[in-house]
């Protein structure tokens, strides 16, 4: 296919008579063989961007070019051909047909493209074997785990060997164990002439990415003095999917770092103790919080802006050289009632983050 180029992309819609600009002047250039992660909180435009790239949604302005195809200039017939030959989509809810087996679900796009039943079956079996589901081909979706359904959806998306794969929240329904296999599979797919674009707020995929596009609302980082935050036992410091501008260093007490899955289940990732820091991902990479942090005992933390946190790391032994104000989180201070955590190395910011305007 070649490179994927997006220039001055604008998506705007009307809400109660007012214009809402979901994507405002996005520029992106991706070379073949790349894995792109589109990050940001719910409602920031991740799915909208995938819909524009796939030709499902027409942008208000701007240009999308996939190889030598100008997607934004295609008519209805051209878009249908583009989606069939060029794009494979992995939907967030998988969209598998419940009455069909895994094998038959993968055969569907092949039948639609005119493949014979025998050829489609052989191709589907090959793909399912390749994603580790050789022994689950005759199982229907209801008898497959979330990770297995995700693999069937990926196999279906690549059935016609499209050069562009779009995945919308591919890890949303997966537990910690299942995620690694899916991420490795997506990384492997992004090779040769193929480009994989993943929309997600899951920071576990960041180390696998070649490019990270953050669709956070525009804001100007403000450097200010550190603050002391007191969190009573059982209270939440910040929640998964929220946004905030402070990085917290634990001074006293213990806090649980919890990831919430789509079905409401919780996974305890770690217990933060004095000396640990929490919530660095969102302020440094401008993406949403990736877990919830709540106090398991009464806790005291110091909140730093990204600028102040960088300075802190450069000081000897990371000592606190700042005088700071006290805030009681139980009072619900609107400026500092931030919720959630991050735990990817700081180098990720410089290696991975390519922001949008």
């Amino acid at each position: 296919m070649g490179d994927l180029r997006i220039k001055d992309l604008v998506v705007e819609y009307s809400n109660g008579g007012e214009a809402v600009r979901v994507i405002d002047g996005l520029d992106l250039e991706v070379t073949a063989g790349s894995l792109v992660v589109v990050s940001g909180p719910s409602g920031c435009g991740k799915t909208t961007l995938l819909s524009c790239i796939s030709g499902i949604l027409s942008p208000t302005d701007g240009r999308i070019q996939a190889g030598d195809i100008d997607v934004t200039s295609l008519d209805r017939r051209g878009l249908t051909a583009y989606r069939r030959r060029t794009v494979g989509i992995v939907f967030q809810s998988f969209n598998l047909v419940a009455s069909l087996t895994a094998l038959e679900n993968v055969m569907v796009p092949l039948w639609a493209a005119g493949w014979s039943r025998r050829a489609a079956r052989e191709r589907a079996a090959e793909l399912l074997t390749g994603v580790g589901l050789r022994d689950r081909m005759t199982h229907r979706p209801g008898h497959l785990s979330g990770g297995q359904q995700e693999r069937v959806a990926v196999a279906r998306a690549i059935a016609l060997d499209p050069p562009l794969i779009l995945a919308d929240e591919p890890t949303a329904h997966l537990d910690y164990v299942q995620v690694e296999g899916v991420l490795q599979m997506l990384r492997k797919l992004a090779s040769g002439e193929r480009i994989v674009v993943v929309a997600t707020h899951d920071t576990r995929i960041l180390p696998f990415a070649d490019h990270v596009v953050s669709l956070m609302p525009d804001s100007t980082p403000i450097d200010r003095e550190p603050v002391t935050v007191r969190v009573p036992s059982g209270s939440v410091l910040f929640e998964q999917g929220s946004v905030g501008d402070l990085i917290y260093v634990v001074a006293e007490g213990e806090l649980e770092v919890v990831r919430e899955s789509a079905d409401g289940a919780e996974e305890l990732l770690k217990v933060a103790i004095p000396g640990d820091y929490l919530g660095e991902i969102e302020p440094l990479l401008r993406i949403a919080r990736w877990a919830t942090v709540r106090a398991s005992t009464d806790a005291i933390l110091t909140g730093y802006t990204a600028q102040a946190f960088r300075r802190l790391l450069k000081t000897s032994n990371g000592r606190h050289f700042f005088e700071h104000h006290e805030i009681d989180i139980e009072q619900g201070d609107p400026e500092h009632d931030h919720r959630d955590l991050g735990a990817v190395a700081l180098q990720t910011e410089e290696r991975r983050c390519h922001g949008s305007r």
Side-chain angles (χ1 to χ4, degrees), residues 35 37 180 183-184 187 204-210 352:
L35 173 61
V37 172
E180 184 176 358
L183 297 185
Q184 290 177 346
R187 175 65 268 179
R204 289 172 289 186
I205 197 172
L206 291 180
F208 294 83
D210 298 303
R352 306 293 186 190

Side-chain angles (χ1 to χ4, degrees), residues 106-116 119-124 127 159-160:
V106 179
M107 292 170 66
V108 167
L110 299 167
W111 287 334
W115 287 47
S116 69
R121 178 176 291 274
E122 290 177 353
R123 171 65 172 164
L127 291 168
L160 294 170

